[in-house]
PDB file of all heavy atoms in Angstrom:
ATOM      1  N   TRP A 129     -51.848 -71.134  23.598  1.00 89.00           N
ATOM      2  CA  TRP A 129     -51.449 -69.726  23.556  1.00 89.00           C
ATOM      3  C   TRP A 129     -51.834 -69.070  22.238  1.00 89.00           C
ATOM      4  O   TRP A 129     -52.181 -67.892  22.201  1.00 89.00           O
ATOM      5  CB  TRP A 129     -49.958 -69.579  23.845  1.00 89.00           C
ATOM      6  CG  TRP A 129     -49.088 -70.218  22.813  1.00 89.00           C
ATOM      7  CD1 TRP A 129     -48.669 -71.523  22.749  1.00 89.00           C
ATOM      8  CD2 TRP A 129     -48.542 -69.584  21.660  1.00 89.00           C
ATOM      9  NE1 TRP A 129     -47.904 -71.731  21.638  1.00 89.00           N
ATOM     10  CE2 TRP A 129     -47.801 -70.549  20.955  1.00 89.00           C
ATOM     11  CE3 TRP A 129     -48.601 -68.293  21.160  1.00 89.00           C
ATOM     12  CZ2 TRP A 129     -47.142 -70.268  19.769  1.00 89.00           C
ATOM     13  CZ3 TRP A 129     -47.930 -68.006  19.977  1.00 89.00           C
ATOM     14  CH2 TRP A 129     -47.211 -68.994  19.302  1.00 89.00           C
ATOM     15  N   ILE A 130     -51.806 -69.823  21.151  1.00 93.00           N
ATOM     16  CA  ILE A 130     -52.214 -69.277  19.859  1.00 93.00           C
ATOM     17  C   ILE A 130     -53.697 -68.898  19.910  1.00 93.00           C
ATOM     18  O   ILE A 130     -54.086 -67.824  19.466  1.00 93.00           O
ATOM     19  CB  ILE A 130     -51.944 -70.289  18.722  1.00 93.00           C
ATOM     20  CG1 ILE A 130     -50.440 -70.514  18.570  1.00 93.00           C
ATOM     21  CG2 ILE A 130     -52.545 -69.808  17.409  1.00 93.00           C
ATOM     22  CD1 ILE A 130     -50.088 -71.647  17.622  1.00 93.00           C
ATOM     23  N   GLY A 131     -54.512 -69.780  20.470  1.00 90.00           N
ATOM     24  CA  GLY A 131     -55.945 -69.500  20.584  1.00 90.00           C
ATOM     25  C   GLY A 131     -56.236 -68.287  21.444  1.00 90.00           C
ATOM     26  O   GLY A 131     -57.091 -67.466  21.104  1.00 90.00           O
ATOM     27  N   VAL A 132     -55.516 -68.160  22.564  1.00 92.00           N
ATOM     28  CA  VAL A 132     -55.736 -67.023  23.461  1.00 92.00           C
ATOM     29  C   VAL A 132     -55.323 -65.717  22.777  1.00 92.00           C
ATOM     30  O   VAL A 132     -56.069 -64.729  22.794  1.00 92.00           O
ATOM     31  CB  VAL A 132     -54.980 -67.215  24.798  1.00 92.00           C
ATOM     32  CG1 VAL A 132     -55.011 -65.945  25.629  1.00 92.00           C
ATOM     33  CG2 VAL A 132     -55.579 -68.373  25.579  1.00 92.00           C
ATOM     34  N   VAL A 133     -54.171 -65.701  22.136  1.00 94.00           N
ATOM     35  CA  VAL A 133     -53.689 -64.480  21.474  1.00 94.00           C
ATOM     36  C   VAL A 133     -54.614 -64.092  20.320  1.00 94.00           C
ATOM     37  O   VAL A 133     -55.028 -62.929  20.204  1.00 94.00           O
ATOM     38  CB  VAL A 133     -52.235 -64.662  20.974  1.00 94.00           C
ATOM     39  CG1 VAL A 133     -51.807 -63.521  20.062  1.00 94.00           C
ATOM     40  CG2 VAL A 133     -51.281 -64.781  22.149  1.00 94.00           C
ATOM     41  N   ILE A 134     -54.970 -65.059  19.480  1.00 95.00           N
ATOM     42  CA  ILE A 134     -55.860 -64.764  18.349  1.00 95.00           C
ATOM     43  C   ILE A 134     -57.221 -64.293  18.860  1.00 95.00           C
ATOM     44  O   ILE A 134     -57.814 -63.366  18.304  1.00 95.00           O
ATOM     45  CB  ILE A 134     -55.995 -65.987  17.418  1.00 95.00           C
ATOM     46  CG1 ILE A 134     -54.673 -66.214  16.684  1.00 95.00           C
ATOM     47  CG2 ILE A 134     -57.130 -65.801  16.427  1.00 95.00           C
ATOM     48  CD1 ILE A 134     -54.629 -67.485  15.855  1.00 95.00           C
ATOM     49  N   SER A 135     -57.712 -64.901  19.931  1.00 93.00           N
ATOM     50  CA  SER A 135     -58.999 -64.483  20.502  1.00 93.00           C
ATOM     51  C   SER A 135     -58.940 -63.032  20.962  1.00 93.00           C
ATOM     52  O   SER A 135     -59.849 -62.235  20.674  1.00 93.00           O
ATOM     53  CB  SER A 135     -59.390 -65.381  21.673  1.00 93.00           C
ATOM     54  OG  SER A 135     -59.648 -66.674  21.236  1.00 93.00           O
ATOM     55  N   PHE A 136     -57.888 -62.674  21.698  1.00 94.00           N
ATOM     56  CA  PHE A 136     -57.742 -61.283  22.151  1.00 94.00           C
ATOM     57  C   PHE A 136     -57.707 -60.328  20.963  1.00 94.00           C
ATOM     58  O   PHE A 136     -58.404 -59.318  20.950  1.00 94.00           O
ATOM     59  CB  PHE A 136     -56.466 -61.103  22.991  1.00 94.00           C
ATOM     60  CG  PHE A 136     -56.662 -61.326  24.455  1.00 94.00           C
ATOM     61  CD1 PHE A 136     -56.053 -62.394  25.089  1.00 94.00           C
ATOM     62  CD2 PHE A 136     -57.436 -60.467  25.213  1.00 94.00           C
ATOM     63  CE1 PHE A 136     -56.217 -62.615  26.440  1.00 94.00           C
ATOM     64  CE2 PHE A 136     -57.611 -60.673  26.576  1.00 94.00           C
ATOM     65  CZ  PHE A 136     -57.000 -61.754  27.187  1.00 94.00           C
ATOM     66  N   VAL A 137     -56.908 -60.645  19.956  1.00 95.00           N
ATOM     67  CA  VAL A 137     -56.771 -59.767  18.789  1.00 95.00           C
ATOM     68  C   VAL A 137     -58.114 -59.613  18.066  1.00 95.00           C
ATOM     69  O   VAL A 137     -58.524 -58.500  17.734  1.00 95.00           O
ATOM     70  CB  VAL A 137     -55.680 -60.306  17.826  1.00 95.00           C
ATOM     71  CG1 VAL A 137     -55.701 -59.576  16.493  1.00 95.00           C
ATOM     72  CG2 VAL A 137     -54.307 -60.200  18.474  1.00 95.00           C
ATOM     73  N   LEU A 138     -58.806 -60.738  17.830  1.00 93.00           N
ATOM     74  CA  LEU A 138     -60.083 -60.668  17.113  1.00 93.00           C
ATOM     75  C   LEU A 138     -61.164 -59.964  17.924  1.00 93.00           C
ATOM     76  O   LEU A 138     -61.983 -59.225  17.363  1.00 93.00           O
ATOM     77  CB  LEU A 138     -60.543 -62.072  16.718  1.00 93.00           C
ATOM     78  CG  LEU A 138     -59.724 -62.764  15.632  1.00 93.00           C
ATOM     79  CD1 LEU A 138     -60.235 -64.175  15.395  1.00 93.00           C
ATOM     80  CD2 LEU A 138     -59.729 -61.956  14.336  1.00 93.00           C
ATOM     81  N   LEU A 139     -61.168 -60.171  19.239  1.00 93.00           N
ATOM     82  CA  LEU A 139     -62.169 -59.500  20.075  1.00 93.00           C
ATOM     83  C   LEU A 139     -61.946 -57.993  20.114  1.00 93.00           C
ATOM     84  O   LEU A 139     -62.901 -57.220  20.204  1.00 93.00           O
ATOM     85  CB  LEU A 139     -62.174 -60.090  21.487  1.00 93.00           C
ATOM     86  CG  LEU A 139     -62.782 -61.487  21.590  1.00 93.00           C
ATOM     87  CD1 LEU A 139     -62.471 -62.110  22.953  1.00 93.00           C
ATOM     88  CD2 LEU A 139     -64.275 -61.464  21.335  1.00 93.00           C
ATOM     89  N   VAL A 140     -60.699 -57.562  20.027  1.00 93.00           N
ATOM     90  CA  VAL A 140     -60.413 -56.119  19.943  1.00 93.00           C
ATOM     91  C   VAL A 140     -60.759 -55.618  18.538  1.00 93.00           C
ATOM     92  O   VAL A 140     -61.343 -54.545  18.382  1.00 93.00           O
ATOM     93  CB  VAL A 140     -58.937 -55.840  20.294  1.00 93.00           C
ATOM     94  CG1 VAL A 140     -58.558 -54.409  19.960  1.00 93.00           C
ATOM     95  CG2 VAL A 140     -58.684 -56.124  21.770  1.00 93.00           C
ATOM     96  N   ALA A 141     -60.443 -56.409  17.510  1.00 92.00           N
ATOM     97  CA  ALA A 141     -60.726 -56.006  16.131  1.00 92.00           C
ATOM     98  C   ALA A 141     -62.216 -55.819  15.879  1.00 92.00           C
ATOM     99  O   ALA A 141     -62.608 -54.957  15.083  1.00 92.00           O
ATOM    100  CB  ALA A 141     -60.152 -57.038  15.158  1.00 92.00           C
ATOM    101  N   VAL A 142     -63.041 -56.595  16.548  1.00 91.00           N
ATOM    102  CA  VAL A 142     -64.493 -56.484  16.380  1.00 91.00           C
ATOM    103  C   VAL A 142     -64.969 -55.079  16.735  1.00 91.00           C
ATOM    104  O   VAL A 142     -65.915 -54.563  16.144  1.00 91.00           O
ATOM    105  CB  VAL A 142     -65.216 -57.539  17.257  1.00 91.00           C
ATOM    106  CG1 VAL A 142     -66.675 -57.202  17.446  1.00 91.00           C
ATOM    107  CG2 VAL A 142     -65.097 -58.905  16.632  1.00 91.00           C
ATOM    108  N   MET A 143     -64.309 -54.443  17.686  1.00 89.00           N
ATOM    109  CA  MET A 143     -64.737 -53.118  18.145  1.00 89.00           C
ATOM    110  C   MET A 143     -64.345 -51.995  17.185  1.00 89.00           C
ATOM    111  O   MET A 143     -64.830 -50.874  17.311  1.00 89.00           O
ATOM    112  CB  MET A 143     -64.145 -52.843  19.522  1.00 89.00           C
ATOM    113  CG  MET A 143     -64.703 -53.747  20.594  1.00 89.00           C
ATOM    114  SD  MET A 143     -64.054 -53.337  22.191  1.00 89.00           S
ATOM    115  CE  MET A 143     -62.878 -54.655  22.406  1.00 89.00           C
ATOM    116  N   ILE A 144     -63.487 -52.289  16.227  1.00 89.00           N
ATOM    117  CA  ILE A 144     -63.020 -51.270  15.282  1.00 89.00           C
ATOM    118  C   ILE A 144     -64.058 -51.101  14.174  1.00 89.00           C
ATOM    119  O   ILE A 144     -64.367 -52.063  13.469  1.00 89.00           O
ATOM    120  CB  ILE A 144     -61.658 -51.670  14.676  1.00 89.00           C
ATOM    121  CG1 ILE A 144     -60.612 -51.817  15.780  1.00 89.00           C
ATOM    122  CG2 ILE A 144     -61.211 -50.650  13.624  1.00 89.00           C
ATOM    123  CD1 ILE A 144     -59.306 -52.419  15.318  1.00 89.00           C
ATOM    124  N   PRO A 145     -64.609 -49.878  14.025  1.00 85.00           N
ATOM    125  CA  PRO A 145     -65.574 -49.653  12.948  1.00 85.00           C
ATOM    126  C   PRO A 145     -64.934 -49.959  11.589  1.00 85.00           C
ATOM    127  O   PRO A 145     -63.794 -49.604  11.327  1.00 85.00           O
ATOM    128  CB  PRO A 145     -65.919 -48.163  13.068  1.00 85.00           C
ATOM    129  CG  PRO A 145     -65.583 -47.824  14.486  1.00 85.00           C
ATOM    130  CD  PRO A 145     -64.410 -48.695  14.844  1.00 85.00           C
ATOM    131  N   GLY A 146     -65.677 -50.644  10.760  1.00 83.00           N
ATOM    132  CA  GLY A 146     -65.160 -51.035   9.457  1.00 83.00           C
ATOM    133  C   GLY A 146     -64.592 -52.445   9.453  1.00 83.00           C
ATOM    134  O   GLY A 146     -64.533 -53.096   8.426  1.00 83.00           O
ATOM    135  N   VAL A 147     -64.172 -52.917  10.612  1.00 87.00           N
ATOM    136  CA  VAL A 147     -63.670 -54.293  10.731  1.00 87.00           C
ATOM    137  C   VAL A 147     -64.775 -55.159  11.314  1.00 87.00           C
ATOM    138  O   VAL A 147     -65.132 -56.195  10.754  1.00 87.00           O
ATOM    139  CB  VAL A 147     -62.401 -54.368  11.613  1.00 87.00           C
ATOM    140  CG1 VAL A 147     -61.954 -55.810  11.794  1.00 87.00           C
ATOM    141  CG2 VAL A 147     -61.280 -53.544  11.002  1.00 87.00           C
ATOM    142  N   GLY A 148     -65.304 -54.729  12.455  1.00 86.00           N
ATOM    143  CA  GLY A 148     -66.411 -55.461  13.072  1.00 86.00           C
ATOM    144  C   GLY A 148     -67.711 -55.176  12.338  1.00 86.00           C
ATOM    145  O   GLY A 148     -67.968 -54.048  11.924  1.00 86.00           O
ATOM    146  N   ILE A 149     -68.511 -56.201  12.162  1.00 85.00           N
ATOM    147  CA  ILE A 149     -69.783 -56.060  11.457  1.00 85.00           C
ATOM    148  C   ILE A 149     -70.891 -55.858  12.492  1.00 85.00           C
ATOM    149  O   ILE A 149     -71.030 -56.650  13.414  1.00 85.00           O
ATOM    150  CB  ILE A 149     -70.074 -57.312  10.602  1.00 85.00           C
ATOM    151  CG1 ILE A 149     -68.984 -57.484   9.554  1.00 85.00           C
ATOM    152  CG2 ILE A 149     -71.446 -57.213   9.962  1.00 85.00           C
ATOM    153  CD1 ILE A 149     -69.060 -58.788   8.805  1.00 85.00           C
ATOM    154  N   GLU A 150     -71.651 -54.789  12.287  1.00 82.00           N
ATOM    155  CA  GLU A 150     -72.737 -54.475  13.214  1.00 82.00           C
ATOM    156  C   GLU A 150     -74.055 -55.025  12.676  1.00 82.00           C
ATOM    157  O   GLU A 150     -74.416 -54.793  11.529  1.00 82.00           O
ATOM    158  CB  GLU A 150     -72.844 -52.968  13.413  1.00 82.00           C
ATOM    159  CG  GLU A 150     -73.838 -52.581  14.475  1.00 82.00           C
ATOM    160  CD  GLU A 150     -73.802 -51.098  14.777  1.00 82.00           C
ATOM    161  OE1 GLU A 150     -72.732 -50.482  14.636  1.00 82.00           O
ATOM    162  OE2 GLU A 150     -74.858 -50.571  15.150  1.00 82.00           O
ATOM    163  N   VAL A 151     -74.736 -55.779  13.523  1.00 80.00           N
ATOM    164  CA  VAL A 151     -76.047 -56.330  13.173  1.00 80.00           C
ATOM    165  C   VAL A 151     -76.984 -56.048  14.344  1.00 80.00           C
ATOM    166  O   VAL A 151     -76.667 -56.377  15.483  1.00 80.00           O
ATOM    167  CB  VAL A 151     -75.969 -57.854  12.913  1.00 80.00           C
ATOM    168  CG1 VAL A 151     -77.344 -58.430  12.650  1.00 80.00           C
ATOM    169  CG2 VAL A 151     -75.030 -58.151  11.752  1.00 80.00           C
ATOM    170  N   ASN A 152     -78.115 -55.431  14.055  1.00 78.00           N
ATOM    171  CA  ASN A 152     -79.108 -55.091  15.074  1.00 78.00           C
ATOM    172  C   ASN A 152     -78.512 -54.309  16.231  1.00 78.00           C
ATOM    173  O   ASN A 152     -78.818 -54.551  17.396  1.00 78.00           O
ATOM    174  CB  ASN A 152     -79.809 -56.350  15.592  1.00 78.00           C
ATOM    175  CG  ASN A 152     -80.618 -57.045  14.522  1.00 78.00           C
ATOM    176  OD1 ASN A 152     -81.122 -56.390  13.621  1.00 78.00           O
ATOM    177  ND2 ASN A 152     -80.717 -58.355  14.610  1.00 78.00           N
ATOM    178  N   GLY A 153     -77.619 -53.382  15.934  1.00 80.00           N
ATOM    179  CA  GLY A 153     -77.041 -52.515  16.944  1.00 80.00           C
ATOM    180  C   GLY A 153     -75.917 -53.122  17.761  1.00 80.00           C
ATOM    181  O   GLY A 153     -75.425 -52.514  18.693  1.00 80.00           O
ATOM    182  N   SER A 154     -75.497 -54.321  17.414  1.00 80.00           N
ATOM    183  CA  SER A 154     -74.437 -54.981  18.165  1.00 80.00           C
ATOM    184  C   SER A 154     -73.308 -55.391  17.223  1.00 80.00           C
ATOM    185  O   SER A 154     -73.539 -55.974  16.174  1.00 80.00           O
ATOM    186  CB  SER A 154     -75.001 -56.220  18.866  1.00 80.00           C
ATOM    187  OG  SER A 154     -74.034 -56.791  19.682  1.00 80.00           O
ATOM    188  N   ARG A 155     -72.089 -55.080  17.620  1.00 83.00           N
ATOM    189  CA  ARG A 155     -70.923 -55.375  16.794  1.00 83.00           C
ATOM    190  C   ARG A 155     -70.229 -56.619  17.366  1.00 83.00           C
ATOM    191  O   ARG A 155     -69.439 -56.532  18.300  1.00 83.00           O
ATOM    192  CB  ARG A 155     -69.985 -54.177  16.815  1.00 83.00           C
ATOM    193  CG  ARG A 155     -68.878 -54.232  15.813  1.00 83.00           C
ATOM    194  CD  ARG A 155     -67.982 -53.015  15.917  1.00 83.00           C
ATOM    195  NE  ARG A 155     -68.701 -51.757  15.891  1.00 83.00           N
ATOM    196  CZ  ARG A 155     -68.976 -51.070  14.786  1.00 83.00           C
ATOM    197  NH1 ARG A 155     -68.604 -51.516  13.626  1.00 83.00           N
ATOM    198  NH2 ARG A 155     -69.625 -49.929  14.856  1.00 83.00           N
ATOM    199  N   ARG A 156     -70.539 -57.790  16.801  1.00 85.00           N
ATOM    200  CA  ARG A 156     -70.022 -59.055  17.321  1.00 85.00           C
ATOM    201  C   ARG A 156     -69.310 -59.901  16.284  1.00 85.00           C
ATOM    202  O   ARG A 156     -68.736 -60.922  16.616  1.00 85.00           O
ATOM    203  CB  ARG A 156     -71.165 -59.911  17.866  1.00 85.00           C
ATOM    204  CG  ARG A 156     -71.916 -59.311  18.999  1.00 85.00           C
ATOM    205  CD  ARG A 156     -73.004 -60.249  19.444  1.00 85.00           C
ATOM    206  NE  ARG A 156     -73.870 -59.583  20.386  1.00 85.00           N
ATOM    207  CZ  ARG A 156     -75.033 -60.050  20.779  1.00 85.00           C
ATOM    208  NH1 ARG A 156     -75.473 -61.187  20.317  1.00 85.00           N
ATOM    209  NH2 ARG A 156     -75.767 -59.378  21.640  1.00 85.00           N
ATOM    210  N   TRP A 157     -69.370 -59.535  15.032  1.00 86.00           N
ATOM    211  CA  TRP A 157     -68.886 -60.404  13.970  1.00 86.00           C
ATOM    212  C   TRP A 157     -67.749 -59.775  13.190  1.00 86.00           C
ATOM    213  O   TRP A 157     -67.618 -58.567  13.097  1.00 86.00           O
ATOM    214  CB  TRP A 157     -70.016 -60.726  12.994  1.00 86.00           C
ATOM    215  CG  TRP A 157     -71.108 -61.529  13.605  1.00 86.00           C
ATOM    216  CD1 TRP A 157     -71.212 -62.884  13.635  1.00 86.00           C
ATOM    217  CD2 TRP A 157     -72.245 -61.036  14.307  1.00 86.00           C
ATOM    218  NE1 TRP A 157     -72.344 -63.263  14.312  1.00 86.00           N
ATOM    219  CE2 TRP A 157     -73.005 -62.146  14.724  1.00 86.00           C
ATOM    220  CE3 TRP A 157     -72.704 -59.773  14.615  1.00 86.00           C
ATOM    221  CZ2 TRP A 157     -74.183 -62.022  15.431  1.00 86.00           C
ATOM    222  CZ3 TRP A 157     -73.880 -59.641  15.322  1.00 86.00           C
ATOM    223  CH2 TRP A 157     -74.602 -60.758  15.729  1.00 86.00           C
TER     224      TRP A 157
END
């Protein structure tokens, strides 16, 4: 459950400008 919750939070955080790092037009990091 910790992995699932952290995954959801981080995957949503990636979409936030300034938090997610954009490389070659894609924000994945």
Side-chain angles (χ1 to χ4, degrees):
W129 64 274
I130 294 171
V132 170
V133 169
I134 290 173
S135 294
F136 270 114
V137 169
L138 290 177
L139 287 168
V140 169
V142 163
M143 293 183 256
I144 300 171
V147 176
I149 299 171
E150 187 173 330
V151 176
N152 296 330
S154 185
R155 191 181 309 269
R156 298 180 190 168
W157 295 269

